[in-house]
Amino acid sequence: MTSSTYRSPVNDDPTLDISLVVNGRPVEASVSPRLLLSDFLRHHLGLTGTHVGCEHGVCGACTVHIDGRAARSCLTLAVQLDGATVRTVEDLEGPDGSLSPVQEAFRDCHGLQCGFCTPGFLMSVTALLDEDPDVADASDTEIRERIAGNLCRCTGYQGIVAATRQAAETIRDAKEQADVPTRG
Amino acid sequence: MKPSRFEYVLPRSIEEAVAARVEYADTVVLSGGQSLVPTLNFRLSNPEAVIDLRLVPGLADVRVDGDWIHVGGRTRQRDLELDDAVHAANPLIRETLHHVAHPVIRNRGTVGGSIAHADPSAELPCLLLCLDGEVVAHGPGGARTIDAQDLFEFILSTTLEPDEILTEVRFPVLPERTGWCFTEFARRHGDFALAGVAATLTLAEDGTIAWGQLAACGVTTTPVRLVAVEDALLDGAADPSRIREIAQLAADVVTVPDDESCSSAYRRDLLVGLVERALRTSLQRATERATARTSREVTS
Amino acid sequence: MSRREAEQPEQADNAPPMVHTGARVRRNEDPRLLRGQGRYVDDIPLEGCVHGAFLRSTIARGRIVALDTTDAERVPGVLAVYTCDNIGGLDREMPLLIPHPCITHGRTQRPLARDDVYYVGQAIAFVVAVDRYVAEDAVSRISVDIEPLPVEVDMERAVEDGAPLVHPDVPGNIAASLVQHCGDADAAFERAEHHTKIRVQVDRSTGAPMECLATAARWDPVSGELVVWDGTQAPIGLRGALSSLFDLDEDKVRVIAPDVGGGFGPKIHFPYANEVLVPLAAMQLGRPVKYIEDRSENFVHMSHERTQIHEIELAATKDGEVIGLRDVFLHDTGSFIPYGIAVAQVASTAIAGPYRIPNIEVEFRCVYTPTVPVTPYRGCGRPQANFALERAMDQLAEELGIDRFEIRRRNLIADDEFPYKREGLIFADGLPVTYDSGQYGAALALLEKELDLPAFRAEQERARAEGRWLGLGLSFYVEGTGLGPYEGGRVRIHPITGKVYVNTGLTTQGQGHATSMAQLVADQLGVAVDDVIVVEGDTGVYDWGVATFASRAMVVSGSAIHKAAVKARERVLEIAANMLEVDPADIELKDGAAGVRGTATTIPLAAIATVSNPLRYAFNDAAQIATQFAPASKGDGPPLQGDSRPGIETEQFYSPPHATWAYGVHAAIVEVDPVSYDLQVKRYVIVHDCGKMINPMIVEGQIAGGVASGMGGAFYEKLEYEANGNLRNASFMEFLMPYATEVPHMEMHHLETPTPLNPIGAKGAGEAGTIPVAAVIASGIQDALAPEGIGPLWHVPLNPSVLHDAVREARSR
Ligand SMILES: Cc1cc2nc3c(=O)[nH]c(=O)nc-3n(C[C@H](O)[C@H](O)[C@H](O)COP(=O)(O)OP(=O)(O)OC[C@H]3O[C@@H](n4cnc5c(N)ncnc54)[C@H](O)[C@@H]3O)c2cc1C
Ligand code: FES
Ligand code: FES
């Protein structure tokens, strides 16, 4: 895997060198300390799938995974990520380009309209289901509580709730299928 | 909404961190960043230097040791929430953390950061105060311990000195025969509370209420102990039928003035209702724990 | 979901089967958006791009006594600092987009303030720098001294004598006023056996699309072309404004609305300051320039809506037949009135809702306040009118001792009364309100059935016996949708791939046009929905049309595209018939090919498209196949004769005779918590009719999103201006936009009464969900708290504190 080198191309702020792994690829960069992770991903790495809706932590559009956990990229400085692993929406699809179960479920259930909140939701829901596949059995109210923390202005959340459940079921079914042969 | 320029300091030890606190005129500490970075983005805070604690060793350690739970200042809220040993030692901690923001925020936000930030509506400062916890602060003169009672001064303000760093938060283990409850009301799920209550209630051997500890958030300029309620519980005569009446004694701590969307009359009644709920839940849990313990003792 | 259809219009003889139209087709646009490959303005990579930031007023009304940009200009990385003094011809009042004779004192703002500021957030200077960080650094170095002037943000006080004036030359702060009459209200009030009157207020809110405003521009000095990417609902309109402001030929200005992260109305307004200053800077600096509005700016810059105070009065018989309505209201237009009276006008004409009410008098005044200007936001005056009317209906029912469902049933316009005209009420299309079609009675009956009212009443009785506050609320609304003047549609079959390209002039901000419009075309041409590619919102591709607003995209553009697709189909059939040497009636279009019914012979569409273009080179398979068949046209002579054209490309326009009226009725079962006074919506039931649904999944998504905004307006979202004109809660932390936990699950039921006004039978659906929610929630809470005897809930958004105080007050009476 090749490592890419980026330099903060922009202003004449003093910069610091960081190295991290983004979507499985090592990245070396030289960035201003005040650069937000959201801007680093979007404008330095060109990963514009991560969106910015508020820059104060409320909307969740900028949600990515840092070291395996969902986090707000707008509330994280790029320099904090030296040595970290970051995953963004661009990494969700399968190696063959197929949509992930969560992506597929959002499509099936009309969990997106304008698509602006969508990457953040996908990252939050993906992290949620990684942690807790039992969401498939949760009540509607519980699912709503689990996905509160991301704002959507378009869908009224109905499709997103349904998508979360569908994805949980798909993931659980796949796990069960995978378990069958080993059991016997 | 982009931060203004600052020096970024990445100390490798607490001494280096404190030295940076002293060296720069105007510093902030970056712990989880979940309150700090919004203020930087809004340019409400334009510090000369940001001191990132992430490489200071030991600050994310959690251990239960005798009567105390020691929580490194930079421990992520989510890690504390998921820690089963901590939960076994004091279940009020997990219950409280469930009310702090959303899981995504707790993934980054830290225990020490929340307490140092001292938002009067925040849950963790209220928890610390309720439990009679304490914090450890490192400054140029070394470490000192501050009781929760002496920590919170005003809105977003503590008795930590500008050159100090909070390194550890200590919560007592929940005593025997004790029930607990954290309850709050926020307009939206995960928001800061309009009012919240942390409570513990301890029973005497004979099953009567021995004492209670209660604190509230969201009702005044700091988290506040509900002393009048606690005093009434001390009487020993605090039978469950009087809980509603006792809860009324909380109302007077409210000082937040009327605002457009929340009258102080409402906030007072809300607090009273939450106190009542917290007391009932704590009492029930205390009773359960006391009986469970008794039956365990009997069987063994 | 349940669904009932009225009679469908007769299908034309050779009309194709409707396979896709009406189906829940998954969206064409989704895979891209799900992969993070959306292209919103800030995602567009522009080599060498520089970034803008504004200095905005922190004073509501004031005089700029000093403005010094020297320090800002010295910040390394700053390329330009603009104030009103160095923007040339742009330093002028922006157009009043929709004039109306009743606007006696129309005022619009300049891109950058000159001399005076009129609201907190108004742009004073614009900095362009290498990045947004430096641009903000420079903004903070601009020194500005504003002498504050007195302000009055309370609209009712603003119209009183002696109130501070927003514009010194506008007496009483009144921008416009209008009285409309339908029938004879005075006589009706005279005759009536019962009057009821209520004063209601709806507070200020904001559309809050997840993507804030955004503009990027690139000037190409070689071609002389200005390209502007803009998160707008109206690219064609913006192009017109830019070419006129910059004095460029329209063909030299290309405005593209790429993916847009939600619109909800405020993005129909143009030009915002950024929409003119970014192009200016791009032309002057010779570099691409971007301005990406941030959330804190969005709250004080992008248009707001909603504040209205109505005094509505109903005149009724003892039996609850409403024979007259009077409504007098104030409409807060903010500091300027760039979009004219649209919001007030729509409110005033929706005021009688679904009820017969033959005698109406409605009067409004548009009031200037030193706040962010007001232009339409999802609902556009209808939520306010609905709230006024439905609160009044509830009150009337209560006073007359008639059930709330029953009183509505008695007043609903009957099916055989359509078209129902309200002579004298002039809608936003300049024509009298005319409801085209509907089954209002059936809708109410369906709602009652789905709610299971007897079961609810029993449950409510039990709850009340336990001291619980359980209630039921409802609201019936109508929505005039699909305003003209027109839209166009172009359909073209691509000769190489056989894919179908469709263009229209308006734009999408998430409504799924790339799917629903494609469904219409797919059925006509017998192709897969994902082989129809809809390209819109780019004036370089298609520039006839108006914009996306007033729930009009499917009605107007959809109809135009449908007409174009029908023409394309005719052309395909004609050519295929010639090629296969059969009668066009024997040809069937299916699976991307034309076949002769009952035989295995088919020709792919690509081949037909290829043949349709008299070509010279057989450059691919389709062209080779094409040569095996008879020619596209019959007869001798040159291949193109008369006004025939090469290729299969059709264009049609649709211009609605007048608005088409969708409607619906919502109900909620709510419970109020006795400790927190929080609202729990236990059931939310919707009966909705937007005529023919092209894609029910998309319709339901529109309704759900609308209801969520409506929930915001009912219980959470309120912009709180302080007395000094400062906006107290300009962040998502304090402006309480609902998360999933604050929005109920919605049960949706549809009626489909096609409109006779357009060929696809569709009515608009975009705003519908929002309209009735505040009234539903207020009605439900009123019912829940009825045992406490609280006064009427007249003011939204409600909140727990208000409910608490109402109960306390009632108990202390
Ligand atoms: C959308 C959203 C919702 C939220 N909701 C809630 C909620 O409901 N309840 C709640 O309690 N909180 C809430 N928060 C805040 C969150 O819990 C924060 O994580 C917490 O308040 C601060 O912790 P932090 O580790 O992120 O601290 P930081 O943001 O890193 O620091 C906060 C402040 O404390 C100071 N500080 C931090 N660490 C130290 C230290 N060791 N010594 C001295 N000073 C220090 C910093 O200088 C800074 O001023 C919310 C945040 C967001 C973004
Ligand atoms: S942009 Fe990060 S939470 Fe909104
Ligand atoms: S899909 Fe538009 S904000 Fe969620």
Side-chain angles (χ1 to χ4, degrees):
Chain A
M1 199 155 290
T2 56
S3 135
S4 356
T5 303
Y6 299 90
R7 223 198 89 71
S8 188
V10 282
N11 51 45
D12 54 359
D13 284 8
T15 59
L16 290 169
D17 293 339
I18 56 172
S19 68
L20 63 162
V21 174
V22 179
N23 294 339
R25 295 183 49 206
V27 171
E28 311 274 329
S30 201
V31 297
S32 160
R34 60 170 162 164
L35 183 68
L36 301 174
L37 174 60
S38 44
D39 286 333
F40 174 66
L41 292 170
R42 293 176 46 76
H43 301 308
H44 294 230
L45 303 190
L47 295 170
T48 54
T50 299
H51 295 158
V52 171
C54 72
E55 291 175 304
H56 54 277
V58 183
C59 77
C62 68
T63 306
V64 298
H65 296 179
I66 299 176
D67 295 331
R69 279 189 185 176
R72 303 288 203 235
S73 61
C74 74
L75 298 189
T76 312
L77 304 174
V79 285
Q80 286 177 272
L81 291 201
D82 189 28
T85 299
V86 178
R87 188 176 185 213
T88 70
V89 67
E90 284 88 350
D91 195 45
L92 287 185
E93 62 183 34
D96 59 348
S98 60
L99 296 178
S100 78
V102 178
Q103 290 172 312
E104 197 70 42
F106 269 66
R107 187 175 187 205
D108 287 347
C109 303
H110 196 27
L112 67 157
Q113 291 184 19
C114 77
F116 199 80
C117 70
T118 310
F121 262 106
L122 294 173
M123 297 315 284
S124 297
V125 171
T126 300
L128 167 65
L129 300 183
D130 285 349
E131 267 179 38
D132 183 5
D134 292 338
V135 171
D137 299 324
S139 69
D140 190 81
T141 310
E142 280 169 303
I143 292 185
R144 283 173 188 270
E145 282 176 11
R146 302 297 287 271
I147 63 171
N150 286 67
L151 288 173
C152 173
R153 193 54 151 177
C154 296
T155 63
Y157 304 104
Q158 191 127 325
I160 298 177
V161 173
T164 303
R165 186 185 301 286
Q166 178 184 314
E169 284 166 359
T170 311
I171 290 169
R172 192 180 54 185
D173 290 353
K175 275 213 181 89
E176 278 168 11
Q177 292 252 308
D179 287 349
V180 170
T182 48
R183 272 200 227 117
Chain B
M1 291 185 62
K2 309 293 182 192
S4 52
R5 261 203 213 187
F6 52 76
E7 285 292 323
Y8 176 74
V9 186
L10 190 58
R12 315 276 156 156
S13 69
I14 191 63
E15 291 73 25
E16 273 180 50
V18 169
R21 271 293 221 192
V22 176
E23 182 188 341
Y24 295 93
D26 174 20
T27 63
V28 291
V29 174
L30 174 57
S31 191
Q34 304 300 287
S35 294
L36 175 65
V37 180
T39 63
L40 296 177
N41 290 357
F42 277 112
R43 297 200 178 201
L44 293 172
S45 161
N46 298 290
E48 190 186 352
V50 170
I51 305 167
D52 186 349
L53 296 184
R54 97 185 129 86
L55 296 184
V56 176
L59 283 191
D61 295 348
V62 177
R63 88 198 131 83
V64 182
D65 186 1
D67 290 341
W68 288 94
I69 302 162
H70 299 256
V71 180
R74 210 183 61 76
T75 306
R76 306 274 185 211
Q77 294 159 3
R78 187 93 171 127
D79 286 329
L80 188 65
E81 168 191 347
L82 298 175
D83 190 315
D84 289 330
V86 168
H87 182 61
N90 192 335
L92 181 57
I93 295 176
R94 182 177 290 174
E95 181 156 297
T96 304
L97 281 161
H98 282 160
H99 292 275
V100 178
H102 310 280
V104 181
I105 304 292
R106 300 202 292 275
N107 279 343
R108 301 289 298 173
T110 67
V111 177
S114 173
I115 285 167
H117 192 58
D119 189 305
S121 303
E123 292 82 0
L124 289 177
C126 176
L127 171 75
L128 190 75
L129 188 65
C130 165
L131 292 175
D132 276 331
E134 59 192 33
V135 299
V136 179
H138 275 76
R144 64 173 178 135
T145 307
I146 310 170
D147 286 347
Q149 290 281 12
D150 304 325
L151 183 62
F152 303 106
E153 239 182 3
F154 193 62
I155 300 171
L156 305 184
S157 157
T158 65
T159 52
L160 287 173
E161 297 296 330
D163 54 8
E164 282 183 316
I165 288 174
L166 188 160
T167 49
E168 188 179 310
V169 181
R170 294 179 186 155
F171 300 102
V173 167
L174 196 70
E176 284 174 12
R177 294 187 308 281
T178 300
W180 70 96
C181 179
F182 190 95
T183 182
E184 71 171 35
F185 175 63
R187 287 301 313 278
R188 288 180 302 189
H189 187 267
D191 277 359
F192 281 102
L194 288 184
V197 174
T200 67
L201 202 65
T202 304
L203 302 182
E205 297 279 1
D206 63 0
T208 58
I209 296 173
W211 77 86
Q213 293 179 203
L214 290 95
C217 56
V219 294
T220 181
T221 54
T222 61
V224 58
R225 278 294 274 267
L226 303 177
V227 180
V229 176
E230 293 181 353
D231 287 350
L233 292 169
L234 266 182
D235 284 351
D239 70 279
S241 65
R242 286 190 54 225
I243 282 188
R244 167 157 300 176
E245 195 186 313
I246 291 171
Q248 300 287 344
L249 300 170
D252 286 347
V253 301
V254 176
T255 65
V256 179
D258 278 321
D259 71 41
E260 236 189 293
S261 55
C262 188
S263 71
S264 53
Y266 166 63
R267 210 185 287 263
R268 274 200 299 276
D269 285 353
L270 174 63
L271 176 64
V272 167
L274 294 172
V275 168
E276 182 183 342
R277 189 184 287 168
L279 286 175
R280 286 193 196 288
T281 306
S282 302
L283 180 61
Q284 188 198 336
R285 286 171 171 170
T287 315
E288 280 163 17
R289 271 184 37 132
T291 27
R293 194 175 160 83
T294 323
S295 56
R296 241 193 347 264
E297 279 163 1
V298 171
T299 47
S300 58
Chain C
M1 184 206 78
S2 71
R3 193 163 155 192
R4 285 214 319 221
E5 297 191 22
E7 288 292 302
Q8 280 293 312
E10 285 282 306
Q11 290 278 343
D13 267 356
N14 66 343
M18 293 289 116
V19 182
H20 306 296
T21 305
R24 297 175 168 268
V25 177
R26 297 199 310 173
R27 299 198 322 166
N28 284 344
E29 43 274 83
D30 287 353
R32 207 167 50 77
L33 299 175
L34 288 162
R35 290 191 160 92
Q37 292 165 355
R39 277 287 171 272
Y40 305 84
V41 173
D42 197 25
D43 302 341
I44 299 193
L46 294 171
E47 189 65 37
C49 186
V50 291
H51 298 263
F54 283 97
L55 171 73
R56 298 184 177 282
S57 179
T58 53
I59 302 286
R61 188 66 186 87
R63 172 120 337 121
I64 302 173
V65 288
L67 179 60
D68 185 350
T69 59
T70 335
D71 280 358
E73 284 155 27
R74 288 204 195 108
V75 172
V78 169
L79 285 90
V81 181
Y82 295 102
T83 67
C84 63
D85 286 331
N86 60 351
I87 57 171
L90 287 185
D91 177 34
R92 46 171 283 194
E93 282 155 14
M94 293 290 104
L96 200 162
L97 292 172
I98 310 177
H100 189 282
C102 82
I103 306 174
T104 50
H105 296 83
R107 297 290 179 274
T108 59
Q109 64 182 319
R110 293 165 188 267
L112 295 172
R114 168 167 291 284
D115 302 332
D116 281 52
V117 291
Y118 296 87
Y119 61 96
V120 169
Q122 186 174 358
I124 297 173
F126 183 59
V127 172
V128 181
V130 289
D131 69 15
R132 174 78 187 204
Y133 292 74
V134 176
E136 289 187 21
D137 294 348
V139 164
S140 66
R141 302 266 159 79
I142 299 175
S143 80
V144 58
D145 186 5
I146 301 174
E147 190 180 280
L149 295 169
V151 293
E152 182 54 71
V153 296
D154 180 292
M155 176 169 59
E156 283 178 309
R157 286 202 290 268
V159 296
E160 284 172 6
D161 283 346
L165 297 177
V166 176
H167 304 281
D169 55 348
V170 179
N173 289 312
I174 307 288
S177 56
L178 186 66
V179 186
Q180 296 168 84
H181 296 275
C182 172
D184 184 347
D186 287 347
F189 272 83
E190 190 83 11
R191 195 167 79 235
E193 293 160 316
H194 188 86
H195 293 183
T196 194
K197 186 170 183 174
I198 184 170
R199 176 179 180 279
V200 306
Q201 178 167 347
V202 177
D203 284 332
R204 199 176 257 251
S205 191
T206 172
M210 291 311 299
E211 186 197 21
C212 300
L213 300 182
T215 308
R218 186 175 58 200
W219 166 250
D220 181 346
V222 178
S223 65
E225 195 191 28
L226 174 68
V227 183
V228 178
W229 293 264
D230 192 54
T232 180
Q233 296 172 224
I236 297 176
L238 179 60
R239 184 192 61 169
L242 292 178
S243 45
S244 93
L245 286 167
F246 291 114
D247 200 14
L248 292 167
D249 289 341
E250 288 205 321
D251 270 20
K252 291 296 184 193
V253 182
R254 179 176 176 194
V255 177
I256 304 168
D259 288 319
V260 178
F264 314 116
K267 295 182 186 174
I268 184 66
H269 172 57
F270 65 87
Y272 286 100
N274 45 292
E275 290 172 327
V276 297
L277 294 172
V278 169
L280 174 80
M283 288 193 279
Q284 291 197 345
L285 300 173
R287 293 177 74 164
V289 179
K290 262 186 193 175
Y291 165 76
I292 307 301
E293 185 190 59
D294 67 32
R295 187 57 62 184
S296 68
E297 297 180 281
N298 183 263
F299 274 102
V300 295
H301 174 227
M302 193 188 70
S303 306
H304 297 165
E305 205 217 281
R306 292 284 195 265
T307 312
Q308 286 182 358
I309 300 175
H310 289 247
E311 295 213 3
I312 184 171
E313 198 174 358
L314 301 180
T317 66
K318 292 200 297 297
D319 299 333
E321 184 192 343
V322 184
I323 56 174
L325 180 157
R326 277 201 196 112
D327 182 40
V328 180
F329 70 93
L330 295 179
H331 166 77
D332 179 358
T333 188
S335 45
F336 297 97
I337 192 162
Y339 211 73
I341 59 164
V343 178
Q345 183 178 27
V346 169
S348 68
T349 46
I351 196 66
Y355 309 118
R356 226 171 267 117
I357 313 183
N359 304 296
I360 300 166
E361 180 181 326
V362 55
E363 173 182 352
F364 64 76
R365 283 178 290 167
C366 298
V367 184
Y368 287 122
T369 57
T371 57
V372 170
V374 164
T375 69
Y377 152 46
R378 200 171 201 168
C380 183
R382 300 174 188 93
Q384 299 94 314
N386 180 262
F387 186 69
L389 175 64
E390 290 292 82
R391 293 276 63 213
M393 288 298 279
D394 275 9
Q395 181 165 302
L396 182 67
E398 166 86 26
E399 287 171 3
L400 295 176
I402 301 173
D403 172 77
R404 285 175 293 162
F405 284 80
E406 181 57 30
I407 200 161
R408 286 173 169 83
R409 192 162 27 247
R410 289 181 194 172
N411 286 286
L412 289 175
I413 294 165
D415 297 2
D416 59 7
E417 290 176 273
F418 293 102
Y420 191 85
K421 196 165 186 177
R422 297 196 195 278
E423 205 69 68
L425 294 194
I426 304 301
F427 193 49
D429 54 3
L431 300 166
V433 167
T434 308
Y435 302 164
D436 48 308
S437 59
Q439 308 172 67
Y440 296 176
L444 189 62
L446 178 57
L447 182 79
E448 288 190 62
K449 182 176 136 274
E450 294 300 333
L451 280 170
D452 192 356
L453 280 182
F456 167 73
R457 297 220 160 97
E459 193 195 338
Q460 187 180 39
E461 208 162 300
R462 277 195 305 278
R464 284 185 174 167
E466 294 163 16
R468 283 164 51 213
W469 291 327
L470 186 72
L472 171 80
L474 82 159
S475 169
F476 206 128
Y477 68 93
V478 294
E479 185 198 357
T481 71
L483 298 191
Y486 81 97
E487 290 294 335
R490 184 169 66 198
V491 172
R492 188 200 322 229
I493 302 176
H494 202 284
I496 294 187
T497 58
K499 292 202 184 194
V500 184
Y501 272 72
V502 175
N503 304 119
T504 189
L506 48 64
T507 60
T508 179
Q509 306 85 41
Q511 301 90 328
H513 298 169
T515 310
S516 53
M517 308 279 187
Q519 287 172 254
L520 294 169
V521 175
D523 273 338
Q524 290 302 328
L525 298 179
V527 297
V529 175
D530 54 10
D531 282 337
V532 182
I533 290 118
V534 178
V535 179
E536 56 185 336
D538 180 347
T539 64
V541 174
Y542 194 80
D543 62 355
W544 293 111
V546 188
T548 300
F549 61 94
S551 305
R552 68 191 291 276
M554 182 47 78
V555 176
V556 192
S557 268
S559 294
I561 288 169
H562 168 80
K563 286 171 69 183
V566 169
K567 287 273 181 241
R569 173 185 174 78
E570 282 168 13
R571 178 109 167 98
V572 169
L573 290 177
E574 179 200 342
I575 297 167
N578 289 343
M579 290 169 78
L580 295 162
E581 296 170 288
V582 296
D583 190 89
D586 294 332
I587 296 202
E588 182 179 39
L589 301 185
K590 222 172 85 182
D591 302 331
V596 182
R597 252 181 257 277
T599 74
T601 318
T602 62
I603 327 173
L605 231 67
I608 299 171
T610 303
V611 172
S612 72
N613 179 11
L615 47 86
R616 188 177 178 130
Y617 308 110
F619 42 76
N620 72 350
D621 290 352
Q624 275 165 27
I625 295 170
T627 59
Q628 297 165 24
F629 293 93
S633 56
K634 290 194 180 123
D636 306 323
L640 295 180
Q641 296 183 45
D643 41 5
S644 63
R645 54 160 304 153
I648 301 172
E649 179 172 326
T650 57
E651 184 177 24
Q652 290 283 305
F653 297 89
Y654 170 72
S655 186
H658 59 79
T660 170
W661 290 71
Y663 66 93
V665 54
H666 295 196
I669 295 175
V670 305
E671 184 160 356
V672 177
D673 183 275
V675 170
S676 65
Y677 289 79
D678 197 18
L679 168 72
Q680 191 197 350
V681 179
K682 301 175 92 80
R683 277 186 77 193
Y684 197 98
V685 186
I686 296 170
V687 175
H688 177 259
D689 187 347
C690 61
K692 174 73 190 156
M693 291 190 285
I694 310 305
N695 185 331
M697 179 187 85
I698 289 178
V699 169
E700 288 175 6
Q702 290 297 304
I703 298 171
V707 170
S709 304
M711 280 303 298
F715 209 72
Y716 298 98
E717 298 173 2
K718 170 183 176 164
L719 293 174
E720 294 174 13
Y721 271 103
E722 295 167 350
N724 64 5
N726 184 46
L727 184 59
R728 198 191 61 75
N729 59 340
S731 85
F732 276 160
M733 213 67 180
E734 291 167 296
F735 177 80
L736 305 178
M737 190 162 141
Y739 287 114
T741 31
E742 286 72 49
V743 176
H745 174 76
M746 298 156 223
E747 303 165 37
M748 297 190 201
H749 307 277
H750 302 283
L751 296 177
E752 288 191 274
T753 318
T755 175
L757 300 180
N758 67 53
I760 56 176
K763 304 179 180 184
E767 295 167 272
T770 309
I771 299 169
V773 187
V776 171
I777 297 299
S779 169
I781 296 176
Q782 189 89 54
D783 186 38
L785 296 178
E788 302 292 337
I790 61 161
L793 297 172
W794 59 276
H795 189 172
V796 280
L798 293 161
N799 65 49
S801 176
V802 166
L803 301 182
H804 164 273
D805 295 355
V807 169
R808 237 170 84 114
E809 196 217 298
R811 284 179 178 168
S812 70
R813 268 202 307 262

